[in-house]
Structure formats: structure tokens, C-alpha cells
Amino acid sequence: MNLPNYFLADLPPEATLTAAMITEACQTLKRNREQYLAGRSTQGLVELLCGVAENWLQPAYPFRKLALESAATAGFARATLAIGIDAFFRQLTPEDFSALLTQELGHAKRLDTLVATSAEERSSRSAIANGPELLVHFAAGNLPVPALMSLVLGVLTRSAQFMKCASDGTLMPRLFAHSLYEAEPKLGACLEIAAWSGGHAEAEKALFNEADCATATGSDETLAAIRQRLPA
């Protein structure tokens, strides 16, 4: 299976990412979000994510097969990666999404409209939750599950997303993004996956300038370095 060149991570290894490319990508993501994602319903997005998850659980699914065939190049045993894929995607069910949204936001429809819990109704209060316009993720190369969950949550919050991976850690985020793109190209157009070695100051400055919110997974040193370059 040959992956099409949808994302910056699909560029050949010798390609050089510039600050201008990062800025242009972020601005394109924001435009695509406004056109294709911002007005989507939570139910519709949950159905899409659950459908993609079902695909990933099928042994013959091309993206799963490619992930397992490439496991060694990403530093994983094939059996270990298969177990991890199954454990993660089995969690993406309508029931689990409803429980997650209720736990985190108080109401499963709070991302759609003004709603109230029973306690809020008694005091005549209601609320709606809105996600950031552009959500930037710094993913750890040796921990694929947090990266995948970050992308899932970003879809639920209707955020455009730019995920920066370690140079040797793109396998699962890239394949998952491609599977979302295949399921719905307009949603995939709101995602970007890229990779570069740490310390690419110009690229990261361009990314931080466009970001509305940033998440990061990594060592204490990595988190401290990112924190120093962003407002609280």
C-alpha cells in the first residue's frame, strides 16, 4: 500500500520544512476547519470516528496491515503493536464517547449547544463548550496511544490540528490521519502531520505563532522547553 502525499510527513526524507511552509499549512487548516468542521454535530463526528475504529479492528484493513508490517521500523514488536491497536480502537464506541463527554464537560451535547445538567437547571444556568481554532500537538515518538487520543479529542472539539511528531515517531499518527482522510477527505483536510528533529526553532516559532492551544507528551525537559516558549 502506497500512501498518497496528503501530509507534510509524507514528503521524502530529504525534503526541508521551512517556517513559511508551516505558517501556510496552519492557515490552510484554519480555513478548512471553518468550512468543513466547525459546524459538524458531535453525533456525526462520533459516528465517523467509530466507523474508522471498526475498520482498524479488521485484520484485512489496509492501514492496520501497513502498521503491523512497519512495526519493526518504528521500534515495536508486531504482536505488541497489534495488541495496542486493538486496545485503543475498541474504546472508540458511542457509549464510551458519551461517557467521556459527560465526564469531561458535564453533558454529552455540550459541544453542540447550550445545555444544562440537573444541578444547573435548578439554578437556571446552562453552558456550551468551544474548542480552540488550531490545536497543536507535540507527540512523543515512543508512545503512539496518547498521540492518537489527542487527534480523536481534537476532532470532537472541531479543532484544526497540527501534530508535530519525532522524526522516527510518525507511523501511527500518520496512518491514523490517512485513515480519517480516506473515510472523509474534508475532515482529513483539517489535519496536518509533520516531523522534524527537536530544536528546529524557526519551524516551531511559526507553529507557536499560529496555535491557539498546545498539548505535549514527552520528557520533563521537553515539556519545560515548550512551556517557556508559550504564554500560560
Side-chain angles (χ1 to χ4, degrees):
M1 179 182 184
N2 294 318
L3 295 177
N5 292 324
Y6 290 151
F7 306 112
L8 292 174
D10 297 323
L11 294 173
E14 63 272 15
T16 300
L17 290 180
T18 66
M21 291 170 66
I22 301 298
T23 298
E24 182 179 356
C26 290
Q27 293 175 353
T28 299
L29 289 171
K30 292 179 183 181
R31 290 194 296 269
N32 290 344
R33 172 195 175 269
E34 183 63 28
Q35 187 170 359
Y36 303 132
L37 183 57
R40 298 286 297 272
S41 70
T42 298
Q43 180 178 347
L45 293 172
V46 166
E47 290 174 355
L48 173 67
L49 290 166
C50 290
V52 172
E54 283 291 329
N55 290 338
W56 271 95
L57 294 171
Q58 304 306 312
Y61 187 50
F63 291 111
R64 179 192 178 98
K65 291 174 65 177
L66 183 56
L68 296 180
E69 290 166 1
S70 307
T73 64
F76 300 103
R78 182 186 178 104
T80 300
L81 185 57
I83 291 170
I85 288 173
D86 289 342
F88 176 74
F89 286 106
R90 282 174 182 156
Q91 299 177 84
L92 304 189
T93 66
E95 296 77 16
D96 283 351
F97 275 121
S98 180
L100 173 67
L101 290 166
T102 302
Q103 173 183 304
E104 296 296 325
L105 302 177
H107 199 292
K109 294 186 177 180
R110 184 147 278 166
L111 287 163
D112 295 291
T113 187
L114 283 165
V115 290
T117 64
S118 299
E120 289 167 341
E121 287 177 350
R122 289 194 291 272
S123 56
S124 300
R125 293 183 294 123
S126 61
I128 187 172
N130 294 301
E133 182 181 17
L134 177 61
L135 184 54
V136 166
H137 307 292
F138 280 73
N142 60 343
L143 295 172
V145 167
L148 301 186
M149 183 55 76
S150 292
L151 291 172
V152 166
L153 296 178
V155 169
L156 287 179
T157 58
R158 285 78 153 170
S159 298
Q161 299 183 78
F162 190 115
M163 176 165 283
K164 184 270 177 188
C165 301
S167 55
D168 59 350
T170 65
L171 177 64
M172 287 306 301
R174 182 179 170 217
L175 292 179
F176 182 48
H178 272 284
S179 70
L180 291 172
Y181 201 112
E182 182 185 69
E184 189 172 319
K186 290 180 179 180
L187 174 63
C190 301
L191 306 174
E192 184 61 85
I193 309 295
W196 59 77
S197 300
H200 193 332
E202 290 187 1
E204 291 174 3
K205 181 180 179 182
L207 191 55
F208 292 149
N209 286 342
E210 296 291 334
D212 297 292
C213 181
T215 76
T217 304
S219 66
D220 290 345
E221 292 77 13
T222 297
L223 300 185
I226 293 172
R227 187 178 291 114
Q228 290 174 2
R229 300 170 65 188
L230 291 170

